[in-house]
Amino acid sequence: LYIFGQQLIQSMKVQSTTTQQDDHFLIADYDYKSTNIEKNGDKYIAKPQITNFKFKTDTRIPKVGVMLVGWGGNNGTTLTGGILANKFNITWNSRRGTHQPNFYGSLTQSSVIKIGTCNTEEVFVPFKDVLPMVNPCDIVFGGWDISSLNLADAMGRAQVVDYDLQQKLRPYLEKLVPLPSIYYPDFIAANQGDRADNVIPGNNKLEHLNTIRKNIADFKQQNNLDKVILLWTANTERFCVEDPNVHGTAEKLMKSIESSHPENQCINNFCMCCLFRRMLIHQWITIKYYCSRKKAGVFVAGDDFKTGQTKFKTCLVEYLVGAGIKPKAIISYNHLGNNDGKNLSQESCFKSKERSKKTCVDDILESNKVLYPTEEELNIDHTIVIKYCPETGDSKKAMDEYIAEIFLGGRQTFAVYNVCEDSLLAAPLIMDLLLLCELFERIQFSKDSSEFQRFDTVLSWLSYLMKAPKSESGITTINALSRQRAMLENLVKVCAGLTVDDNLRLEVRYG
Ligand code: NAD
C-alpha cells in the first residue's frame, strides 16, 4: 500500500530520481520533447528540441462541494442519485435482475491507464489511482432550479433511473430541495414556463446576483467546505444579442447587471458569481466577456458535454481522415424526448446547441491538406437536425449519415444509429469534469526552472469532455477524440512522474 497525500492508493508507487515527494507536494521533473518547424521556401525544416518542465501537485485532498444550476433536471438528479447509490452501495432490481451501482462511463473511475510493462506484459491501473483525486462519494451536492420539486420527485419526473432504484434513493433524495434560481424567461423556451415555480423574485439583476453569491457562501460555510465548484447543467439558453458596450469587458458586464440590462442571460450572473468567488465553471458561452478572467483565476473548460453523438463523430471522422479517406457530408438527426429536447424545440435555443455541435470536426479536416487542399473543400455538408419527440424520453436517438470519398471517386457511407441514454452518459462525464477541474487546481508547473504557476484559466486539458472545447488564446482547439484522451492521460502521467507512452514498445520488442 502506498499513502499518496491523504488518499490510499493501492495500485502503484513511482520510484524515480526525477520525482520528489513530501507530505504536501509531489514534484515531477519532465523533459518535454517537441519539434520546432521552420518554413524555408516550400520546405519545412524540423528541429527537435527538449524543454524542461516541473509539475507540482498538491496531494492534499480538499473537502469539495458542488452546486449545480439545474439541479432538479435529468442530469442533476441522475448525477446526485448515482453517486448516492455508489456511496451507500444500494442495489436494485429490474427485469434484467439485481444491479450493483458502478461508475461506468466515467473516465476517472472506470477507465485505466497503461503505466508500463512488467516483463513483457503491459500494466494498467485505474485512471483515478495515478494522482490523488477527490472520491466522488465524498462530494457534497447542492444547487438551484427554477422548479421546486425535491430531488426524489424530480428523479421520478426525469424517467431516467430504474423505478426500484428511485424508490431506494427516495429517503436520501427527498430531503434535497433546490434553491430558488434566477429565471429570465426570454432566454429559454417558453414551454419551460410551467415548471418555473421556484424563482428569485423581482427584476433587479444585481439583487439576483447577490442572492446567488450569498447562497454559495452559505453552502460553503454550512458544509464546512474547502472548495465549491459551480456547474451549469440547466437548459441551453439562447445567445444574447452581443453588444460590446454591454458585454465587452468584465466591468461593462458588471455595470449592465447593475442596471438590469435585458440582454444578460442567467448564466452571466452565475459566471459573475464564480469570478467573485474564484470558483470553477464549465461553460464557455460568455467567457469572452470576462477579460479579467486571468486575474480572477476561474477555470473554464468549454461548452456542453461531449457524450454520445459528438463523441462518436469526433472518433469516426478522426479515423476516416487518419486513414486518408475524405468525409464529404455528415448529416445528423436527433430525436429527443426529454425536457432538454422540449427546450431545444424553440429555434433560438436550438441555435446555441447547433453551434456547439457543429464545429467538432473542423480541426480534424483542416489538419489534412492532402484531402482538403482548399478552404472551399473544407466546407463539407454538416447538418444538424433536432426534433422533439416526447415518446423517445431520455433515450435519445441519434441517426447519422457519413458520406466519404474513397479511392478513384468511390463512396463509403456509414449510417449510424446510436441510442444515447442521454443522462446516463452525461452524469458520469459531469462527475469527471468536476473531479478533474478540482485536481487541476492543485497542479502548478514551472518551465525551465521559472517560478511555479497555475494552469491557464481556459482548461483545454478537459477538451475530451466538452462538445465545444476552448483553448488558450492563440492555440488550436483539438476535437479529435484519441488526441484529447492522450493529452489528458499523458498530463496525469507526467505529473505523477511516469513516462509518456509513444506506443513504440521498444522495451518489449528489443528489450
Ligand atoms: P433538463 O431539462 O432535464 O434539466 C435542466 C434543469 O434546469 C431543469 O430542471 C430546469 O428546470 C432547470 N433550469 C432551467 N433554467 C434554469 C435556471 N435559470 N436556473 C436554474 N435551473 C434552471 O435537461 P438535462 O437533460 O438535465 O440537460 C441539461 C443541460 O445539459 C442542457 O443544456 C443539455 O443540452 C445538456 N446536455 C448535454 C448532453 C450531451 O449529450 N452532451 C446530454 C445531456 C444534457
Side-chain angles (χ1 to χ4, degrees):
L1 297 187
Y2 180 54
I3 308 286
F4 210 156
Q6 291 172 10
Q7 204 183 36
L8 200 59
I9 291 182
Q10 293 169 302
S11 329
M12 64 152 226
K13 167 182 178 157
V14 178
Q15 245 175 17
S16 152
T17 50
T18 56
T19 53
Q20 311 157 33
Q21 194 179 354
D22 60 24
D23 288 348
H24 294 172
F25 295 104
L26 167 69
I27 301 179
D29 209 76
Y30 178 58
D31 281 334
Y32 176 64
K33 292 185 184 151
S34 60
T35 307
N36 192 32
I37 304 290
E38 285 169 17
K39 221 172 165 195
N40 188 351
D42 55 359
K43 267 209 164 47
Y44 290 125
I45 312 292
K47 297 185 176 171
Q49 58 186 26
I50 298 178
T51 316
N52 181 261
F53 282 86
K54 285 189 176 50
F55 290 91
K56 180 162 90 172
T57 306
D58 188 335
T59 52
R60 291 163 292 182
I61 307 275
K63 186 171 181 203
V64 171
V66 167
M67 298 190 83
L68 301 176
V69 191
W71 195 19
N74 287 20
N75 286 346
T77 52
T78 307
L79 174 66
T80 312
I83 288 182
L84 287 171
N86 276 279
K87 179 172 181 155
F88 297 110
N89 197 21
I90 298 171
T91 58
W92 71 99
N93 295 310
S94 77
R95 64 183 174 173
R96 293 200 186 93
T98 301
H99 300 267
Q100 305 290 331
N102 61 41
F103 281 124
Y104 287 1
S106 160
L107 177 87
T108 59
Q109 309 302 303
S110 299
S111 84
V112 293
I113 289 184
K114 181 185 155 190
I115 55 168
T117 43
C118 179
N119 301 321
T120 55
E121 290 294 310
E122 297 186 306
V123 177
F124 298 84
V125 300
F127 193 115
K128 67 181 168 60
D129 287 1
V130 177
L131 284 178
M133 292 182 70
V134 170
N135 179 341
C137 296
D138 294 337
I139 296 176
V140 181
F141 278 94
W144 304 263
D145 204 291
I146 55 170
S147 158
S148 64
L149 284 196
N150 68 55
L151 257 66
D153 290 339
M155 182 178 261
R157 174 180 60 190
Q159 300 180 6
V160 173
V161 170
D162 280 336
Y163 180 75
D164 191 31
L165 180 57
Q166 285 185 36
Q167 294 311 305
K168 292 192 168 165
L169 284 169
R170 178 161 279 281
Y172 304 93
L173 291 180
E174 63 189 356
K175 293 182 243 163
L176 306 178
V177 183
L179 293 160
S181 191
I182 309 173
Y183 176 50
Y184 302 146
D186 179 33
F187 284 98
I188 55 171
N191 59 31
Q192 299 297 308
D194 52 3
R195 68 196 277 154
D197 62 354
N198 194 37
V199 303
I200 303 171
N203 297 318
N204 185 322
K205 293 195 171 182
L206 182 63
E207 277 176 20
H208 294 164
L209 180 131
N210 287 334
T211 307
I212 298 296
R213 288 181 69 187
K214 181 161 184 327
N215 292 159
I216 298 166
D218 291 347
F219 177 70
K220 189 164 186 224
Q221 195 237 328
Q222 284 157 9
N223 294 292
N224 199 17
L225 302 168
D226 301 315
K227 239 182 224 186
V228 177
I229 305 179
L230 190 145
L231 186 133
W232 178 277
T233 182
N235 297 110
T236 311
E237 295 189 297
R238 71 158 173 86
F239 288 114
C240 47
V241 180
E242 285 181 36
D243 179 348
N245 290 323
V246 181
H247 313 106
T249 64
E251 290 71 28
K252 284 181 182 165
L253 184 64
M254 191 57 222
K255 281 221 157 56
S256 73
I257 290 175
E258 281 163 9
S259 66
S260 299
H261 193 283
E263 279 307 307
N264 264 323
Q265 303 141 310
C266 296
I267 196 171
N268 278 351
N269 273 18
F270 282 99
C271 288
M272 267 302 178
C273 294
C274 294
L275 288 179
F276 282 125
R277 298 196 60 86
R278 213 174 73 72
M279 291 160 62
L280 315 165
I281 47 177
H282 93 281
Q283 282 270 6
W284 171 265
I285 299 180
T286 44
I287 195 62
K288 69 180 169 182
Y289 308 133
Y290 303 129
C291 312
S292 65
R293 65 182 197 274
K294 269 205 159 96
K295 211 166 43 184
V298 177
F299 278 151
V300 178
D303 185 16
D304 213 345
F305 314 119
K306 176 150 122 173
T307 48
Q309 186 184 41
T310 309
K311 200 165 233 162
F312 192 81
K313 202 176 269 184
T314 57
C315 188
L316 189 72
V317 172
E318 185 185 16
Y319 138 54
L320 290 172
V321 174
I325 292 174
K326 181 176 182 177
K328 294 193 68 112
I330 306 171
I331 305 112
S332 298
Y333 291 91
N334 297 267
H335 295 170
L336 185 57
N338 58 17
N339 187 55
D340 180 36
K342 192 174 169 190
N343 180 60
L344 295 173
S345 64
Q346 186 165 302
E347 184 66 10
S348 55
C349 299
F350 165 70
K351 282 286 165 208
S352 298
K353 191 73 163 185
E354 186 187 35
R355 194 148 114 185
S356 75
K357 273 179 170 273
K358 229 175 165 168
T359 51
C360 69
V361 296
D362 292 357
D363 61 305
I364 308 174
L365 307 184
E366 278 162 20
S367 69
N368 192 328
K369 296 274 184 291
V370 178
L371 298 175
Y372 302 97
T374 63
E375 283 287 315
E376 207 184 346
E377 280 172 274
L378 282 169
N379 201 11
I380 66 168
D381 288 344
H382 189 179
T383 303
I384 317 272
V385 180
I386 300 183
K387 289 289 167 202
Y388 175 52
C389 310
E391 184 56 32
T392 316
D394 204 60
S395 297
K396 180 170 94 179
K397 310 294 187 300
M399 283 165 279
D400 296 72
E401 186 172 67
Y402 297 81
I403 304 171
E405 183 174 345
I406 55 172
F407 196 41
L408 302 178
R411 289 287 182 272
Q412 182 177 23
T413 300
F414 296 82
V416 180
Y417 183 68
N418 182 354
V419 181
C420 316
E421 297 213 299
D422 226 13
S423 309
L424 294 172
L425 289 171
L429 187 151
I430 292 172
M431 194 178 80
D432 286 337
L433 205 47
L434 298 167
L435 298 177
L436 290 167
C437 247
E438 190 290 310
L439 170 66
F440 292 160
E441 239 222 340
R442 284 185 281 120
I443 299 177
Q444 295 182 51
F445 71 94
S446 136
K447 184 182 162 196
D448 289 332
S449 304
S450 61
E451 263 187 37
F452 278 104
Q453 54 179 298
R454 281 159 48 90
F455 286 141
D456 191 282
T457 48
V458 180
L459 259 190
S460 55
W461 300 114
L462 296 181
S463 57
Y464 176 81
L465 304 167
M466 308 309 300
K467 204 178 306 249
K470 289 291 172 272
S471 293
E472 302 82 337
S473 56
I475 299 181
T476 326
T477 301
I478 303 293
N479 283 284
L481 195 73
S482 74
R483 293 186 66 192
Q484 292 175 326
R485 195 185 184 289
M487 171 168 72
L488 197 50
E489 172 175 327
N490 286 336
L491 174 67
V492 171
K493 285 174 78 168
V494 161
C495 291
L498 291 165
T499 311
V500 165
D501 196 357
D502 57 16
N503 284 310
L504 290 178
R505 304 183 71 210
L506 299 180
E507 78 282 20
V508 188
R509 291 179 209 276
Y510 309 120

